[in-house]
Amino acid sequence: MGSDHYFTAAPASPENLRKIRVSLAGRELELTTAGGVFSPDRLDAGTAVLLANTPPVPPGGDLLDLGSGWGPVTISMALASPHATVWAVDVNERALDLVRRNAAALGLTNVNASLPDDVPAHVSFRTIRSNPPIRVGKNELHGLLERWIPRLDERSDAWLVVQRNLGADSLQRWIGATFHPGYSVFRTATGKGYRVLKVRKHGTPPTEPIALSEL
């Protein structure tokens, strides 16, 4: 990859298209990947943990895959919720082209692969799923989350997977301190050295706690 990173906007490295076989949304698929994007040869462990430890996506509305890469989370959501609109957002133009190729090959017409600035400002999301680019650095990562988490619909959730030894616990603390009040963050699963974090945007007025009857 040379000096390219998977978060490079226009990778200069050879495209080197290749086919890989993956299991997504209960289907065995052959998808196209390329050099200059994140994990081009396989479904990476973090994304696999995210997909295995999140609930079914909403059946409609706008859904966001933040940092889509070649599209495993996008494809999974689009297959599972054909009546929803799935936004695949990435800064890497090559990654977005791969998402479009893969969606077209599967006949998925409910996918929008877009640069961040091309997502209309009025769109809000019924869920966000993300294996965020931790290696861009803390300031860039925080700016990314500060931009997109507030675009959750009320009473909706963002699900993030973060490697434990790359700061998952400190990121959870930062989210809890930054998005307050009106949000909550919990660690919901661990696996293969990763944490899955759930960020909940509460409603207005906030949902009241459920009263439990005395036993």
Side-chain angles (χ1 to χ4, degrees), residues 64 66 125-130 148-149 152 157-159:
L64 174 61
L66 182 57
F125 301 102
R126 296 190 64 189
T127 192
I128 298 173
R129 308 285 165 103
S130 183
W148 294 101
I149 286 178
L152 280 168
D157 303 311
W159 299 84

Side-chain angles (χ1 to χ4, degrees), residues 53-150:
N53 292 280
T54 45
V57 291
D62 293 283
L63 319 178
L64 174 61
D65 175 9
L66 182 57
S68 65
W70 50 264
V73 173
T74 292
I75 296 299
S76 294
M77 292 198 293
L79 287 170
S81 292
H83 299 294
T85 298
V86 182
W87 294 84
V89 171
D90 207 296
V91 298
N92 186 318
E93 294 270 17
R94 187 176 293 174
L96 295 176
D97 179 65
L98 291 167
V99 173
R100 296 183 190 110
R101 286 173 184 253
N102 288 321
L106 294 170
L108 296 172
T109 60
N110 59 333
V111 170
N112 288 333
S114 303
L115 295 167
D117 290 343
D118 292 339
V119 180
H122 69 272
V123 174
S124 58
F125 301 102
R126 296 190 64 189
T127 192
I128 298 173
R129 308 285 165 103
S130 183
N131 182 354
I134 296 298
R135 296 182 189 277
V136 296
K138 186 177 293 186
N139 289 339
E140 288 288 333
L141 176 64
H142 289 176
L144 185 76
L145 298 179
E146 286 174 322
R147 177 176 185 175
W148 294 101
I149 286 178

Side-chain angles (χ1 to χ4, degrees), residues 5-91:
H5 298 276
Y6 59 82
F7 42 83
T8 297
S13 57
E15 190 174 39
N16 189 21
L17 292 172
R18 76 285 308 258
K19 298 282 190 180
I20 64 170
R21 295 198 64 83
V22 293
S23 178
L24 299 173
R27 294 176 54 178
E28 294 298 321
L29 306 173
E30 184 176 77
L31 301 179
T32 302
T33 70
V37 301
F38 176 61
S39 191
D41 297 317
R42 65 187 63 84
L43 180 67
D44 69 284
T47 299
V49 169
L50 179 70
L51 291 173
N53 292 280
T54 45
V57 291
D62 293 283
L63 319 178
L64 174 61
D65 175 9
L66 182 57
S68 65
W70 50 264
V73 173
T74 292
I75 296 299
S76 294
M77 292 198 293
L79 287 170
S81 292
H83 299 294
T85 298
V86 182
W87 294 84
V89 171
D90 207 296
V91 298

